[in-house]
């Protein structure tokens, strides 16, 4: 099952993507994690992305698209994946369509965590404070970068809701419920498709 999980910074998207991936037995593919890993690895991508990420801005489309294009065709993603943090722009969504179409695949579902904007800044500033206290704050967990990340989300990523709604594959879940309830609502939202995909995978496995 091929899923995109959408949600603003502070919506709990990363946590939910990991849980859902475990439950469905498919990999969670986070472009943020991939880019963060590229920085200490000293790759060209990492060098280009480092300062952009620290400011909370979006890394150029072609860079992220290149990473995802390779990753989703790896063996562990054969029966599906959850994309976490990608696409973040309409251009990325169009590129994803092209990559999947070229491989004879398509997206099954786009899940959006619906979170009241007013709740977000407080939530992410809290998360930054906790992470700093625990000694694992991200370089972009500063107040300035978090504000930029929210702006980027509103301007660049939010339009994806309409993009996928028009294609009839968008499902929204209330992201302000308790974590376990969000997780069960996400599972419920894709239950019938998950069963269909499991049958397809079973019938096509050797
Ligand atoms: P995340 O871990 O998803 O919050 O992403 C952290 C940062 O990585 C973002 O603020 C961007 O700078 C960069 N990033 C991650 N995914 C993308 C993407 N799909 N397009 C552009 N930049 C991205």
């Amino acid at each position: 099952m091929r899923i995109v999980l959408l949600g603003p910074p502070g919506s709990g998207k990363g946590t939910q993507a990991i849980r859902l991936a475990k439950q469905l037995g498919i990999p969670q593919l986070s472009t943020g994690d991939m880019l963060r890993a590229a920085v200490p690895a000293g790759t060209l991508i990492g060098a280009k992305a480092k300062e952009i990420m620290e400011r909370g801005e979006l890394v150029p489309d072609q860079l992220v698209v290149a990473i995802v294009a390779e990753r989703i065709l790896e063996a562990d993603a054969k029966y599906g994946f959850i994309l976490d943090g990608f696409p973040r722009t309409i251009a990325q969504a169009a590129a994803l369509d092209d990559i999947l179409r070229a491989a004879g695949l398509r997206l099954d579902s786009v899940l959006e965590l619906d979170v009241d904007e007013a709740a977000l800044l407080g939530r992410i500033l809290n998360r930054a404070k906790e992470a700093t206290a625990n000694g694992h704050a991200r370089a972009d967990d500063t107040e300035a970068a978090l504000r930029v990340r929210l702006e980027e989300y509103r301007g660049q990523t939010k339009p994806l809701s309409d993009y996928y709604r028009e294609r009839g594959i968008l499902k929204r879940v209330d992201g302000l419920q308790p974590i376990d309830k969000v997780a069960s609502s996400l599972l419920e939202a894709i239950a019938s498709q998950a069963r269909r995909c499991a049958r397809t995978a079973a019938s096509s496995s050797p």
Side-chain angles (χ1 to χ4, degrees), residues 9-10 116-130 146-147 150:
D116 171 29
E117 294 248 338
L120 286 175
L121 195 62
R123 254 171 102 149
I124 48 185
L125 290 178
N126 242 348
R127 185 179 81 183
K129 230 188 273 167
E130 277 170 24
L146 285 164
R147 287 186 191 277
L150 264 183

Side-chain angles (χ1 to χ4, degrees), residues 13 30-33 35-36 52-53 56-61 64 84-89 92 127 138 140 149:
K13 178 172 56 69
S30 153
T31 42
D33 286 350
L35 290 166
R36 275 186 292 278
I52 301 175
M53 289 170 75
E57 295 166 8
L58 292 185
V59 169
D61 288 336
V64 192
D84 165 8
F86 182 93
R88 261 179 156 99
T89 64
Q92 290 179 18
R127 185 179 81 183
R138 281 166 36 172
D140 58 354
R149 282 160 64 193

Side-chain angles (χ1 to χ4, degrees), residues 12 14 45 61 76 91 101 142 155 202:
I45 289 180
D61 288 336
D76 66 335
R101 198 177 308 115
T142 62

Side-chain angles (χ1 to χ4, degrees), residues 10-147:
S11 62
K13 178 172 56 69
T15 307
Q16 294 296 341
I18 293 169
R19 283 180 72 145
L20 192 58
K22 250 191 211 140
Q23 266 160 324
L24 297 174
I26 52 181
Q28 168 244 5
L29 309 181
S30 153
T31 42
D33 286 350
M34 293 176 211
L35 290 166
R36 275 186 292 278
V39 174
T43 64
L44 190 60
I45 289 180
K48 284 188 186 161
K50 183 174 184 289
E51 287 179 11
I52 301 175
M53 289 170 75
E54 281 174 4
R55 289 195 298 269
E57 295 166 8
L58 292 185
V59 169
D61 288 336
Q62 56 299 6
L63 219 150
V64 192
V65 167
I67 303 183
V68 171
E70 265 188 31
R71 184 63 187 90
I72 59 180
L73 298 178
E74 285 179 21
D76 66 335
K78 186 171 178 194
Y79 295 118
F81 49 75
I82 297 180
L83 280 170
D84 165 8
F86 182 93
R88 261 179 156 99
T89 64
I90 296 282
Q92 290 179 18
L96 177 62
D97 289 340
D98 290 344
I99 296 163
L100 291 174
R101 198 177 308 115
L105 306 170
R106 64 179 170 73
L107 272 185
D108 296 296
S109 195
V110 176
L111 298 168
E112 181 179 26
L113 290 175
D114 190 17
V115 180
D116 171 29
E117 294 248 338
L120 286 175
L121 195 62
R123 254 171 102 149
I124 48 185
L125 290 178
N126 242 348
R127 185 179 81 183
K129 230 188 273 167
E130 277 170 24
T132 307
N134 296 331
H136 41 71
R138 281 166 36 172
D140 58 354
D141 269 346
T142 62
E143 178 166 352
L146 285 164
R147 287 186 191 277

Side-chain angles (χ1 to χ4, degrees), residues 150-205:
L150 264 183
E151 278 308 307
E152 292 279 42
Y153 187 82
R154 288 187 194 119
Q156 308 273 351
T157 310
K158 190 64 193 148
L160 291 176
S161 307
D162 284 339
Y163 180 89
Y164 288 122
R165 185 178 298 111
E166 279 160 21
R167 295 185 25 193
I169 54 172
L170 181 77
K171 296 206 169 91
R172 301 178 81 199
V173 162
D174 177 2
L176 284 178
Q177 305 173 96
I179 291 183
D180 287 345
K181 187 72 183 54
V182 176
S184 58
S185 303
L186 288 171
L187 262 183
E188 225 168 84
I190 53 162
S192 59
Q193 278 154 311
R195 279 193 293 272
R196 206 175 318 128
C197 287
R199 278 198 301 274
T200 311
S203 64
S204 62
S205 57

